[in-house]
Amino acid sequence: MAEVTDRALGYVRAGFPVHFRGPSGVGKTTLALHVAHRLGRPVMLMVGDDEFGSSDLVGAHAGFRRRRVVDNFIASVRKTEDDVAPRWVDQRLTIACREGLTLVYDEFTRSRPEANNALLSVLEEGVLVLPSRRRAETDYLRVHPDFVAIFTSNPVEYAGVHQAQDALFERFVTIDLDAFDEASESAIVQARSGVSEADALSIVRLVRACRVALGGADRHTVRSAIVIAKVVAQRGAVAAAGDPVFERACQDVLSSEAGRRGWNGLSAAQVRAKVLELVHQQAGGPVKRGRGTRPVRP
Ligand SMILES: Nc1ncnc2c1ncn2[C@@H]1O[C@H](COP(=O)(O)OP(=O)(O)OP(=O)(O)O)[C@@H](O)[C@H]1O
Ligand SMILES: [Mg+2]
C-alpha cells in the first residue's frame, strides 16, 4: 500500500491525475482518499452516477434572481425598475477547479461518458469550459494550480459501469490494483475490527475460501471479513467453528448473495451448507461449547 501510495503521489506531483482501477473491495476508494489526504489540501468527493449530466459536474442555472429598485427621490415621482436574471449555481467540479481542491471522483465510470466531457479540457488545457450566458463571469475558468484529480473505477464488466472515452484514459495514469494478499487482508481486518490476530486470520482464510468455492470474486471481499470480525468483536465471540454467534454471522454474510440465487448448480440450502463446511474447515472442527468453556482453536 505504501509503495502504491508513493507511486501515485509521484504522478500527482509531476502534474498527472491518477486513476485506481480494480474489482470491488480492493481498496480503491480508501487509497484515493488516503492519497488525497497526503496531499494536504481540502478534498472534494464526487461519486459517479448514471443519472449525471454535465450540469451535475459543472453547475447549472437554478431559478432566478430578482432585483427591484424603487426610486422615490422626488416625492411626487415614483420610478420602479425590475431586473430578473437566471441564477447560476456552481457544482463540485467547478468549485474544485476554482478553489484548487483535491477532487476524488469515485467510480467515475458509473457516469455516462458524455457527462464527464468537461474533464477533458480541465485535465489537458487546465481550463474548465462553462455553458455560455453565465452572467457577470466569463465562460471559461482557469483551473487553480493546486487542483488535483484522483479517479477510481471498477472493471467495465460490472453492472452499471460505462466504458469511459479513450481520450480521458490518456489524460491520467491508471494504476491497476489487485486483490490483497492474505497478510494484508488480515491486518486490515484486525485494524478495522479490533479482533485478535488469530481471529482476523481465521476469518480472512474463511472468506478467501468462500471466494474460491462460491465464485464471489466481487462479493466475498475484505468487506465481508470486516463485517464478520466486527460482529465477533462486538458480541465477544470467537472466530472458531462451534461459536454460535460466529457461525450465524458467517451464514448471514457469506451465503447471502449466492444463497439467494443459488450458485453453480448449488441450491440456496446447499450454499449455506457449503459455507458451514468451510467454517469448519477453515476455523476449526465443530467444538463442544459447555458452561465456561470457549471454543478451542485446533
Ligand atoms: N489500506 C487499507 N487499510 C485499512 N482498511 C482498508 C484498506 N483498504 C481497504 N480497506 C477497507 O476495506 C474495505 C473495502 O475498501 P474500499 O471501499 O476502499 O474498496 P473499493 O475498491 O473502493 O471497493 P468498491 O469497488 O466496492 O467501491 C473498506 O471497509 C475499507 O475500509
Ligand atoms: Mg469504492
Side-chain angles (χ1 to χ4, degrees):
M1 299 308 293
E3 189 271 328
V4 177
T5 305
D6 284 345
R7 194 146 41 104
L9 282 169
Y11 294 133
V12 167
R13 289 187 175 129
F16 301 104
V18 287
H19 166 217
F20 297 116
R21 179 173 58 189
S24 190
V26 295
K28 302 178 295 296
T29 307
T30 308
L31 196 57
L33 290 171
H34 178 61
V35 171
H37 174 75
R38 287 279 302 272
L39 289 167
R41 297 275 307 158
V43 176
M44 178 69 88
L45 176 65
M46 202 158 76
V47 183
D49 190 319
D50 192 50
E51 299 279 303
F52 271 4
S54 64
S55 58
D56 292 296
L57 269 72
V58 173
H61 289 112
F64 293 89
R65 179 180 288 117
R66 179 172 178 169
R67 197 169 62 107
R68 166 172 274 200
V69 179
V70 180
D71 183 354
N72 204 187
F73 186 64
I74 300 166
S76 58
V77 180
R78 184 183 171 88
K79 198 172 112 190
T80 54
E81 211 177 273
D82 280 314
D83 184 15
V84 179
R87 194 164 56 105
W88 173 268
V89 180
D90 282 337
Q91 276 292 2
R92 289 173 198 196
L93 177 62
T94 310
I95 298 170
C97 288
R98 182 161 21 78
E99 310 289 334
L101 311 182
T102 301
L103 176 76
V104 174
Y105 193 173
D106 200 24
E107 313 216 2
F108 82 101
T109 48
R110 292 199 182 275
S111 307
R112 283 170 288 116
E114 58 271 24
N116 290 333
N117 274 345
L119 285 165
L120 296 173
S121 63
V122 167
L123 302 184
E124 186 75 31
E125 284 83 24
V127 169
L128 175 63
V129 183
L130 297 160
S132 54
R133 288 183 284 107
R134 217 166 137 253
R135 292 227 345 154
E137 286 180 59
T138 64
D139 298 340
Y140 296 93
L141 183 93
R142 189 164 293 285
V143 175
H144 191 287
D146 289 339
F147 171 81
V148 164
I150 302 171
F151 299 85
T152 83
S153 76
N154 287 110
V156 198
E157 56 275 15
Y158 277 54
V161 170
H162 298 279
Q163 177 92 48
Q165 52 269 62
D166 290 343
L168 202 47
F169 269 97
E170 274 199 324
R171 283 164 166 79
F172 46 55
V173 181
T174 297
I175 299 179
D176 278 308
L177 298 179
D178 293 324
F180 294 116
D181 56 76
E182 190 180 274
S184 311
E185 211 162 275
S186 184
I188 288 172
V189 169
Q190 201 189 345
R192 290 274 176 211
S193 65
V195 293
S196 68
E197 197 180 331
D199 275 357
L201 192 61
S202 293
I203 295 169
V204 163
R205 286 194 173 146
L206 168 65
V207 174
R208 290 171 81 90
C210 281
R211 208 176 292 168
V212 176
L214 296 171
D218 54 336
R219 275 180 222 113
H220 302 117
T221 67
V222 69
R223 220 173 255 137
S224 299
I226 292 172
V227 175
I228 297 172
K230 278 191 173 166
V231 172
V232 165
Q234 203 259 331
R235 302 279 307 275
V238 181
D243 186 303
V245 172
F246 173 63
E247 282 191 3
R248 284 245 50 104
C250 292
Q251 286 274 310
D252 291 336
V253 175
L254 299 174
S255 52
S256 60
E257 264 304 300
R260 190 161 58 83
R261 294 182 274 117
W263 186 80
N264 207 16
L266 299 181
S267 68
Q270 285 168 325
V271 166
R272 294 182 78 82
K274 181 75 189 164
V275 169
L276 200 58
E277 182 192 318
L278 290 170
V279 167
H280 286 214
Q281 236 174 48
Q282 300 295 326
V287 182
K288 287 204 177 62
R289 197 184 157 97
R291 221 174 233 287
T293 61
R294 307 269 288 167
V296 184
R297 197 183 310 283

